[in-house]
Amino acid sequence: MSHLKLNQFRHLFVVSGPSGVGKASVMAEIVKNTDVNKVATYTTRPKRQNERDGWDYQFVSISEFQQLEREGEIVEYVQVYGDHFYGSPRLRQDSSSLDMLIELDPEGHQKYAKAHAPNITSIFLLPPSIDELRRRINSRQQETNLDRRLSAAVEQIGRAFEYDYVVINDDLVTACQSVISVVRATQLRLSRNSNITFATNLRKIWEASKI
């Protein structure tokens, strides 16, 4: 099984939010509608129906996960709900590379923000209510640890203030539009210097043509 190891990026977009808030759906629309590449984080949990290895997650065994952590390819990890391990891959900044998109929990976001500032933009997704979040989690599959998931969700929601943008996913289309707008606006800001250089060159070409 091969895994993405040294991910290079120009700017990193982070999406966080509690389980069941719709992160996967929103991130799929970001990749579909903007020029970013998605980084798949690692997990030891079984692959759910319709999930794709290398897209939703990089699904690994516990022994593989431990080996990747020893090799430094997993820079932070957590055991979620007392069950499975989730880990974030090592990343390296490269101004000539593409922008990257990654799903992180608040702890992972905090660690990446310290390591990669100011080349990081973070977005936290909120559910419209806890009742709706409970419904979404149960509609995905019957969870045996629902209470623990909801408790963890409330704890994560309490850290939304740590993020650059906070979006309520009440309507998926509207939420996607909001998040895509954030990505596009950030990319326009990042391209400002190169666009100014282009404008300067256009003026030089015009002036040279008048000689």
Side-chain angles (χ1 to χ4, degrees), residues 25-41:
S25 298
V26 170
M27 292 176 74
E29 288 301 307
I30 294 173
V31 173
K32 180 180 177 181
N33 291 281
T34 66
D35 188 19
V36 299
N37 280 355
K38 182 178 181 293
V39 179
T41 55

Side-chain angles (χ1 to χ4, degrees), residues 9-24:
F9 70 97
R10 178 184 70 154
H11 193 83
L12 184 65
F13 293 94
V14 173
V15 173
S16 300
S19 176
V21 79
K23 297 184 295 292

Side-chain angles (χ1 to χ4, degrees), residues 108-124:
H109 162 246
Q110 189 175 61
K111 189 163 188 174
Y112 276 67
K114 289 179 180 178
H116 300 299
N119 301 303
I120 184 170
T121 299
S122 57
I123 304 160
F124 194 94

Side-chain angles (χ1 to χ4, degrees), residues 131-200:
D131 285 342
E132 173 61 15
L133 185 65
R134 179 185 290 109
R135 187 196 67 78
R136 291 179 186 178
I137 293 174
N138 273 328
S139 66
R140 185 170 60 190
Q141 67 177 39
Q142 289 296 319
E143 300 285 358
T144 57
N145 52 8
L146 179 60
D147 287 341
R148 280 186 293 175
R149 285 181 176 270
L150 290 174
S151 178
V154 172
E155 184 177 344
Q156 288 190 12
I157 287 169
R159 299 183 64 176
F161 71 94
E162 299 175 5
Y163 289 73
D164 298 316
Y165 299 90
V166 179
V167 176
I168 299 174
N169 185 11
D170 190 7
D171 175 75
L172 181 60
V173 173
T174 302
C176 288
Q177 290 173 343
S178 296
V179 175
I180 289 169
S181 295
V182 168
V183 174
R184 287 176 173 167
T186 302
Q187 290 178 322
L188 280 173
R189 176 175 56 81
L190 294 172
S191 64
R192 178 180 182 274
N193 288 341
S194 61
N195 288 346
I196 289 175
T197 300
F198 179 73
T200 301

